[in-house]
Amino acid sequence: MNIIENPWRKLSVRMRLTVWYSTVLSLTLLALGVFLYLFLSHNLHQEIDQSVANQANQVVRSITVVGEFPFPLSQVILPNVDVFASPDTYLQVVNDHGEILARSNNLGNQVLPLSRQTLLYAVKGKGFYETIEAGDQRLRTFNLPLTYRDQIIGILQVGRSLVPVDRALGRLSFVLFTGGLVTVLLTGMLGWFLAGMALRPIDRLIQAAADIQEARDLQSRIHYEGPADEIGELTATINDMLARLHGAYQSLEEGIATQKRFVSDASHELRTPLTTIRGNIELLQKMGDIDPEARREVLADIAGETERMTRLVNDLLALARADAGFKITKATLSLQEFLADLYRQVRLIPGQATFRGMDPAEVKGIQVTANPDYLKQLFLIIIDNAFKYTPAGGRVWLDTRQKPGFIGITVHDTGTGIAPEDIPKIFRRFYRADRARVGSGTGLGLAIANRIVEQHGGELEVESSPGVGSAFTVWLPNVFLA
Ligand code: ADP
């Protein structure tokens, strides 16, 4: 659908505000002006009407009758109309045929026009107003029939010039129009200026946000010095948003860097056994069938490396699954049964140290929410390490601890121990404190163990002193007695 763009929406807020209140002001002034004009015009006209009517009545009052009918007009003595005239007021008396009987001097050689209709209307006996054109000016006249003994003997016309009123109204409309126009222009300008002032902080905000976007610098913040008004709130919100974005971006970058390191470490780790295998195969090819003993050794080497690679690939897979957010399914598990099962597998771990698991009856009735397979993998990694790093004559043993909401199972050994500076590093992927000593490790075991504990909402705790031994405690939550 083609949406027709509204040009009004393209205008800036500042322009729209200015146009809005200028329009409102113009309409208000216009309404006020029209009202004022009409009110004044009505009043002035009414005043003129009253004055001409008064004048006419005064004239009528001063008419005297000296004789009797049938020659009324000759017997009617008209007053000197000039007495009633004023520079703007003209008087004229006509008979019922329209002939002028008297008129005020200020008319000069002019006459107050009297149309046939007016005459006809007047002879009906009632006074009435008329607005007429006389010469170059407009006049308001009051036509009053003069009656004597119910007989119309003439018509008195009192006219007053509308020129002063027209002039006053003209001046008024000029003042209203120009005054209104100037007011609208001035307030429009003032409004434009005020809107600009009010919107300036927003302009600055837009500028600051644009600068940040241009520099792609999520660390910078918008500087705002002002009251804690809407603009202040907006600035704070944008700054908060920037901080969050920065945090998210950073962890994303860190995540990508970790993944890159992981991939390069993994490729490196996989290349080592592959190189050994290839070297051995080449050796086999060169040797032929000459020395069966050497041949057996080379094959054993290949088998060992293949096994190591299988372990490595399995570990990598486990970690990759954990990284992908693979959720493990958990169920309520009896620790007693779990430990009994674990001991059966521990027996298969090669090692020179002696092993003593605690009596599973010690944890009788204690249950945890866990995935039995992953939990077993976790303990096998730790116990396997304990054997790996404990020489002949040493001991590996298990016991339990408790703290509110958690049950801890500790794997102790009297092995080589870990240097304090290495302890924080041993959970890192591919980290091995002493590579030379034990060749079978992948450096991924504790990283996997840590992920499994995390998935169970628990903690992995290490205490160790070099030459004395280590203790790895797996803390698991949701413990309850059955
Ligand atoms: P690895 O396959 O090398 O055992 P891990 O991730 O399981 O990898 O362990 C990381 C490092 O932590 C080991 O290389 C070792 O130096 C140290 N470590 C782990 N467990 C023990 C332990 N019980 N005694 C001494 N050192 C240990």
Short mmCIF file of all heavy atoms in Angstrom, two decimals, residues 385-386 388-389 413 416-418 426 431-434 441-446 470 472, ligand 1:
data_model
loop_
_atom_site.label_atom_id
_atom_site.label_comp_id
_atom_site.label_asym_id
_atom_site.label_seq_id
_atom_site.Cartn_x
_atom_site.Cartn_y
_atom_site.Cartn_z
N ASN A 385 41.42 -37.93 38.40
CA ASN A 385 42.52 -36.98 38.64
C ASN A 385 43.26 -37.35 39.93
O ASN A 385 44.48 -37.33 39.97
CB ASN A 385 41.99 -35.55 38.78
CG ASN A 385 41.79 -34.90 37.43
OD1 ASN A 385 42.27 -35.41 36.41
ND2 ASN A 385 41.10 -33.78 37.41
N ALA A 386 42.49 -37.67 40.98
CA ALA A 386 43.10 -38.00 42.27
C ALA A 386 44.07 -39.16 42.10
O ALA A 386 45.20 -39.11 42.61
CB ALA A 386 42.01 -38.33 43.27
N LYS A 388 45.44 -40.06 39.25
CA LYS A 388 46.47 -39.66 38.30
C LYS A 388 47.61 -38.91 38.99
O LYS A 388 48.78 -39.08 38.66
CB LYS A 388 45.86 -38.77 37.22
CG LYS A 388 46.07 -39.30 35.87
CD LYS A 388 45.35 -38.60 34.73
CE LYS A 388 44.66 -37.30 34.94
NZ LYS A 388 43.86 -36.87 33.78
N TYR A 389 47.23 -38.06 39.94
CA TYR A 389 48.24 -37.21 40.56
C TYR A 389 48.68 -37.71 41.93
O TYR A 389 49.26 -36.98 42.71
CB TYR A 389 47.71 -35.76 40.63
CG TYR A 389 47.38 -35.24 39.26
CD1 TYR A 389 46.07 -35.10 38.82
CD2 TYR A 389 48.42 -34.94 38.35
CE1 TYR A 389 45.77 -34.65 37.55
CE2 TYR A 389 48.12 -34.49 37.08
CZ TYR A 389 46.80 -34.35 36.68
OH TYR A 389 46.53 -33.93 35.41
N ASP A 413 42.92 -36.66 48.29
CA ASP A 413 44.07 -37.51 47.90
C ASP A 413 45.32 -36.99 48.58
O ASP A 413 45.36 -35.87 49.07
CB ASP A 413 44.23 -37.54 46.36
CG ASP A 413 44.64 -36.20 45.78
OD1 ASP A 413 45.66 -35.66 46.21
OD2 ASP A 413 43.90 -35.69 44.88
N THR A 416 50.19 -34.99 44.55
CA THR A 416 51.17 -33.92 44.35
C THR A 416 50.67 -32.57 44.87
O THR A 416 51.45 -31.70 45.20
CB THR A 416 51.47 -33.75 42.86
OG1 THR A 416 50.21 -33.56 42.21
CG2 THR A 416 52.15 -34.97 42.29
N GLY A 417 49.37 -32.42 44.88
CA GLY A 417 48.82 -31.13 45.28
C GLY A 417 48.95 -30.11 44.15
O GLY A 417 49.58 -30.39 43.12
N ILE A 418 48.34 -28.97 44.35
CA ILE A 418 48.35 -27.93 43.31
C ILE A 418 48.88 -26.64 43.93
O ILE A 418 48.47 -26.27 45.04
CB ILE A 418 46.93 -27.69 42.75
CG1 ILE A 418 46.29 -29.02 42.32
CG2 ILE A 418 46.92 -26.71 41.60
CD1 ILE A 418 44.79 -28.98 42.24
N ILE A 426 42.98 -24.15 37.08
CA ILE A 426 42.79 -25.55 36.69
C ILE A 426 41.44 -25.85 36.05
O ILE A 426 41.28 -26.87 35.41
CB ILE A 426 43.03 -26.51 37.88
CG1 ILE A 426 42.11 -26.13 39.04
CG2 ILE A 426 44.48 -26.55 38.30
CD1 ILE A 426 42.14 -27.15 40.17
N TYR A 431 43.88 -26.38 30.37
CA TYR A 431 44.93 -25.99 31.31
C TYR A 431 45.42 -27.21 32.08
O TYR A 431 44.65 -27.94 32.67
CB TYR A 431 44.43 -24.93 32.31
CG TYR A 431 45.57 -24.48 33.21
CD1 TYR A 431 46.50 -23.54 32.76
CD2 TYR A 431 45.76 -25.08 34.46
CE1 TYR A 431 47.57 -23.18 33.56
CE2 TYR A 431 46.83 -24.72 35.25
CZ TYR A 431 47.74 -23.77 34.80
OH TYR A 431 48.81 -23.44 35.57
N ARG A 432 46.73 -27.38 32.08
CA ARG A 432 47.31 -28.46 32.87
C ARG A 432 48.52 -27.92 33.60
O ARG A 432 49.43 -27.36 32.99
CB ARG A 432 47.70 -29.63 31.95
CG ARG A 432 46.45 -30.25 31.33
CD ARG A 432 46.76 -31.00 30.09
NE ARG A 432 47.39 -32.25 30.43
CZ ARG A 432 47.97 -33.03 29.54
NH1 ARG A 432 48.02 -32.69 28.29
NH2 ARG A 432 48.52 -34.15 29.92
N ALA A 433 48.48 -28.08 34.93
CA ALA A 433 49.52 -27.45 35.76
C ALA A 433 50.90 -28.00 35.43
O ALA A 433 51.86 -27.26 35.34
CB ALA A 433 49.20 -27.66 37.22
N ASP A 434 50.97 -29.27 35.25
CA ASP A 434 52.29 -29.85 34.97
C ASP A 434 52.16 -30.83 33.81
O ASP A 434 51.84 -32.00 33.99
CB ASP A 434 52.80 -30.55 36.25
CG ASP A 434 54.24 -31.01 36.07
OD1 ASP A 434 54.77 -30.87 34.94
OD2 ASP A 434 54.81 -31.49 37.05
N GLY A 441 46.20 -36.92 30.33
CA GLY A 441 45.12 -35.92 30.51
C GLY A 441 44.88 -35.11 29.25
O GLY A 441 45.74 -35.00 28.39
N THR A 442 43.67 -34.54 29.17
CA THR A 442 43.36 -33.67 28.03
C THR A 442 43.32 -32.21 28.48
O THR A 442 43.28 -31.30 27.65
CB THR A 442 41.97 -34.02 27.44
OG1 THR A 442 41.00 -33.87 28.48
CG2 THR A 442 41.93 -35.42 26.91
N GLY A 443 43.29 -32.01 29.80
CA GLY A 443 43.18 -30.63 30.30
C GLY A 443 41.76 -30.12 30.24
O GLY A 443 41.48 -28.96 30.48
N LEU A 444 40.81 -31.00 29.89
CA LEU A 444 39.41 -30.58 29.79
C LEU A 444 38.56 -31.11 30.94
O LEU A 444 37.43 -30.65 31.15
CB LEU A 444 38.81 -31.08 28.47
CG LEU A 444 39.35 -30.44 27.20
CD1 LEU A 444 38.78 -31.12 25.97
CD2 LEU A 444 39.01 -28.95 27.16
N GLY A 445 39.11 -32.09 31.69
CA GLY A 445 38.32 -32.79 32.72
C GLY A 445 37.65 -31.83 33.69
O GLY A 445 36.42 -31.86 33.85
N LEU A 446 38.43 -30.96 34.33
CA LEU A 446 37.84 -30.07 35.35
C LEU A 446 36.91 -29.03 34.74
O LEU A 446 35.95 -28.61 35.38
CB LEU A 446 38.94 -29.41 36.18
CG LEU A 446 39.62 -30.35 37.18
CD1 LEU A 446 40.69 -29.61 37.96
CD2 LEU A 446 38.62 -30.96 38.15
N SER A 470 45.25 -33.00 47.81
CA SER A 470 44.16 -32.11 47.41
C SER A 470 42.82 -32.65 47.90
O SER A 470 42.70 -33.83 48.19
CB SER A 470 44.08 -32.02 45.89
OG SER A 470 45.37 -31.84 45.34
N PHE A 472 38.81 -32.09 46.59
CA PHE A 472 37.81 -31.49 45.70
C PHE A 472 36.44 -31.80 46.28
O PHE A 472 36.09 -32.97 46.42
CB PHE A 472 37.91 -32.09 44.28
CG PHE A 472 39.08 -31.58 43.50
CD1 PHE A 472 40.37 -32.06 43.73
CD2 PHE A 472 38.89 -30.62 42.50
CE1 PHE A 472 41.45 -31.58 43.00
CE2 PHE A 472 39.96 -30.15 41.76
CZ PHE A 472 41.25 -30.62 42.01
P1 ADP B 1 43.88 -33.20 33.04
O1 ADP B 1 43.33 -33.97 31.94
O2 ADP B 1 45.21 -32.64 32.78
O3 ADP B 1 43.81 -33.94 34.35
P2 ADP B 1 41.95 -31.52 34.28
O4 ADP B 1 41.15 -30.45 33.76
O5 ADP B 1 41.25 -32.70 34.86
O6 ADP B 1 42.95 -31.98 33.15
O7 ADP B 1 42.90 -30.93 35.38
C1 ADP B 1 43.59 -29.74 35.14
C2 ADP B 1 44.88 -29.69 35.93
O8 ADP B 1 44.60 -29.58 37.32
C3 ADP B 1 45.71 -30.93 35.82
O9 ADP B 1 46.54 -30.89 34.69
C4 ADP B 1 46.49 -30.90 37.10
O10 ADP B 1 47.61 -30.12 36.99
C5 ADP B 1 45.56 -30.26 38.08
N1 ADP B 1 44.89 -31.27 38.93
C6 ADP B 1 43.63 -31.72 38.81
N2 ADP B 1 43.33 -32.58 39.80
C7 ADP B 1 44.42 -32.69 40.56
C8 ADP B 1 44.76 -33.44 41.74
N3 ADP B 1 43.88 -34.25 42.34
N4 ADP B 1 46.00 -33.31 42.24
C9 ADP B 1 46.87 -32.47 41.66
N5 ADP B 1 46.65 -31.76 40.55
C10 ADP B 1 45.44 -31.87 40.02
#
